C-alpha cells in the first residue's frame, strides 16, 4: 500500500476544507481500503469522516425520512420506519454483503462503491475505468457479471450496490456539502453517469463534494419488493435484481417504479417500461411487453448472454408478485 497522510475531520465543513487533488474521504472503508491495497486507489491523503455527526435517521417535515451518510447498512436495514414504510430498502440492504460488512459499510459509501469487474481489480489487464485509454479486457474476456444495458465501447462494468437500486425506486435525493459551503440536492438518478468514452468518471459529484444525507420522500403507496438473483444465497453480487414499487387500483396499475441491478453501469430505470404498465390491467401480455421494452437494446458479450433471458424472467416474476397476477 502506498504511503499516505491521514486527517481526522471533526466537522463536515472541516472535511471539505481539507479536500483537494489526491484527497479521499474515508468512513467504513469497506471498498476503499481493498482498492488501496491493490494500488487501484492511491490517495495522497485520507480524510477520516467517521466521527462526524451524520449517523442519525430522522423524520422529515413532509413525512419522509432523512438518513445520515454515516448510518451503517445494518442500522438502516433494522430501523423501524425503514422496515415498515420502505421494506424494499430493508430487503435490498439485507441481501448485500455479509453482516460483518453491513456493520461497517455506510450509506454514503455504499452509493459510491466501485465496480466489481474482474479486470478493474486485475492491474495486469486493460481497464479504461482504472487506466483511461488502456482498453476494456472484459469485452473479449470472461464477462459473466458484466452489463448488458447502458454499455459503451470503452466499458461494460456493472454498478454493484443493492441499496442504490432500492433508493432509486424510492426516488431518493442525495444531499451534499461543497467546499465553498454551498449545498446541493441531487436526484439519485442524476448521481450516476453512463460510461460513454469516460468510464473513469462514475458520478456527478464535484471535486471535494461530500454526501451528508440521503432523503426519502413519504412512503409510496402500493406493494414493494426486492428480488435478487445471484450465484449463491449470501455474500454475492446480483446477476439480476429488481426493486419494484407498484400500486394497483380498480384492477389497473396506478403507479409503477422498477429499477434493476446487475444489468447496467448504474441502477437501471427505464421510463418506457413503467409507462407501459401504468393504466394497464395486470396480465402476462402486459408483463411480456414491459420485458420487451426493458431489453430492446440489451447486448450480451458472450459469457453474460444469459442475463438477457434471466432479466426477462426475473421482471415477469416480480410483476406477478407485485400485482397479484397469477402465472
Amino acid at each position: 500500500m502506498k504511503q499516505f497522510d491521514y486527517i481526522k475531520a471533526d466537522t463536515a465543513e472541516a472535511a471539505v476544507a481539507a479536500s483537494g487533488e489526491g484527497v479521499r474521504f474515508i468512513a467504513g472503508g469497506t471498498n476503499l481500503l481493498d482498492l488501496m491495497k491493490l494500488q487501484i486507489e492511491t490517495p495522497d491523503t485520507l480524510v477520516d469522516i467517521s466521527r462526524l455527526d451524520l449517523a442519525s435517521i430522522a423524520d422529515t417535515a413532509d413525512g419522509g425520512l432523512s438518513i445520515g451518510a454515516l448510518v451503517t447498512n445494518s442500522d438502516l436495514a433494522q430501523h423501524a420506519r425503514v422496515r415498515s414504510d420502505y421494506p424494499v430498502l430493508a430487503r435490498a440492504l439485507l441481501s448485500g454483503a455479509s453482516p460483518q460488512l453491513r456493520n461497517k459499510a455506510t450509506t454514503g459509501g455504499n452509493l459510491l462503491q466501485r465496480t466489481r469487474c474482474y479486470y478493474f481489480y486485475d492491474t495486469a489487464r486493460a481497464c479504461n475505468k482504472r487506466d483511461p485509454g488502456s482498453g476494456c479486457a472484459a469485452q473479449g474476456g470472461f464477462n459473466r457479471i458484466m452489463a448488458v444495458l447502458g454499455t459503451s465501447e470503452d466499458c461494460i462494468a456493472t454498478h454493484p450496490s443493492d441499496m442504490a437500486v432500492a433508493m432509486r425506486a424510492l426516488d431518493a435525493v442525495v444531499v451534499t456539502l461543497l467546499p465553498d459551503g454551498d449545498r446541493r440536492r441531487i436526484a439519485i438518478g442524476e448521481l450516476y453517469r453512463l460510461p460513454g468514452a469516460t468510464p473513469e468518471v462514475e458520478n456527478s459529484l464535484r471535486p471535494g463534494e461530500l454526501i451528508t444525507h440521503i432523503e426519502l420522500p413519504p412512503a409510496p403507496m402500493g406493494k414493494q419488493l426486492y428480488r435478487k438473483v445471484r450465484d449463491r444465497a449470501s455474500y454475492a453480487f446480483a446477476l439480476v435484481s429488481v426493486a419494484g414499487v407498484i400500486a394497483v387500483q380498480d384492477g389497473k396499475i396506478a403507479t409503477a417504479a422498477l429499477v434493476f441491478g446487475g444489468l447496467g453501469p448504474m441502477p437501471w430505470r427505464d421510463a418506457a417500461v413503467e409507462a407501459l404498465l401504468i393504466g394497464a390491467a395486470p396480465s402476462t401480455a402486459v408483463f411480456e411487453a414491459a420485458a420487451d421494452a426493458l431489453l430492446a437494446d440489451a447486448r450480451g458479450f458472450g459469457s453474460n448472454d444469459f442475463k438477457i433471458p434471466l432479466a426477462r424472467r426475473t421482471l415477469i416474476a416480480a410483476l406477478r408478485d407485485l400485482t397479484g397476477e397469477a402465472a
Side-chain angles (χ1 to χ4, degrees):
M1 184 183 291
K2 174 188 168 184
Q3 186 173 0
F4 57 88
D5 293 326
Y6 171 83
I7 298 172
K8 182 176 72 174
D10 296 320
T11 66
E13 289 75 15
V16 296
S19 64
E21 177 126 14
V23 177
R24 291 294 307 271
F25 299 125
I26 186 168
T30 56
N31 187 202
L32 179 58
L33 290 177
D34 285 341
L35 295 173
M36 289 175 65
K37 290 173 185 177
L38 295 170
Q39 296 199 22
I40 295 168
E41 294 272 6
T42 56
D44 297 315
T45 303
L46 288 184
V47 177
D48 184 352
I49 61 171
S50 64
R51 295 168 180 83
L52 303 188
D53 185 20
L54 298 174
S56 61
I57 302 172
D59 296 339
T60 59
D62 65 355
L65 205 62
S66 175
I67 303 162
L70 296 182
V71 173
T72 67
N73 288 179
S74 291
D75 286 347
L76 185 58
Q78 295 164 7
H79 190 270
R81 272 212 64 200
V82 173
R83 292 173 64 187
S84 63
D85 293 352
Y86 309 98
V88 63
L89 177 56
R91 291 167 188 160
L93 285 161
L94 292 173
S95 75
S98 66
Q100 294 90 339
L101 286 173
R102 293 196 296 268
N103 287 341
K104 288 294 291 181
T106 62
T107 303
N110 189 306
L111 291 177
L112 299 179
Q113 64 181 297
R114 306 198 69 185
T115 185
R116 265 48 180 195
C117 173
Y118 314 121
Y119 301 98
F120 176 70
Y121 276 81
D122 184 352
T123 56
R125 305 299 294 273
C127 173
N128 289 316
K129 188 179 286 292
R130 173 174 33 79
D131 183 16
S134 64
C136 177
Q139 297 199 33
F142 183 63
N143 45 52
R144 187 171 186 274
I145 65 170
M146 307 307 175
V148 295
L149 292 170
T151 60
S152 74
E153 293 304 311
D154 292 291
C155 186
I156 61 171
T158 52
H159 189 269
S161 174
D162 291 289
M163 186 194 76
V165 175
M167 288 279 197
R168 190 168 186 190
L170 293 168
D171 294 318
V173 172
V174 178
V175 183
T176 68
L177 177 66
L178 290 155
D180 63 5
D182 283 349
R183 290 190 177 272
R184 282 210 297 164
R185 294 172 56 82
I186 309 168
I188 194 166
E190 302 300 318
L191 178 64
Y192 301 109
R193 291 172 49 123
L194 291 172
T198 55
E200 73 279 9
V201 183
E202 298 174 347
N203 59 64
S204 60
L205 294 180
R206 299 171 188 170
E209 190 168 11
L210 174 68
I211 295 176
T212 60
H213 297 81
I214 293 86
E215 293 183 356
L216 300 180
M221 62 179 183
K223 186 174 180 179
Q224 300 179 31
L225 169 148
Y226 188 75
R227 182 179 291 250
K228 180 176 181 179
V229 182
R230 49 189 164 173
D231 283 324
R232 54 187 183 274
S234 66
Y235 202 50
F237 294 95
L239 296 172
V240 177
S241 66
V242 56
V245 183
I246 285 183
V248 178
Q249 294 180 336
D250 300 323
K252 293 185 178 180
I253 298 172
T255 62
L258 292 165
V259 183
F260 301 85
L263 296 182
M266 62 175 68
W268 194 262
R269 188 169 184 175
D270 189 331
V273 176
E274 295 169 6
L276 276 170
L277 294 168
I278 294 172
S283 69
T284 298
V286 169
F287 300 162
E288 290 279 1
D292 288 342
L294 171 68
L295 300 167
D297 296 323
R299 175 191 173 192
F301 293 87
S303 305
N304 70 344
D305 291 351
F306 74 98
K307 279 194 175 189
I308 297 173
L310 179 61
R312 171 180 291 275
R313 294 193 299 270
T314 304
L315 171 57
I316 292 171
L319 288 171
R320 285 174 174 149
D321 284 349
L322 285 163
T323 62
E325 174 68 15

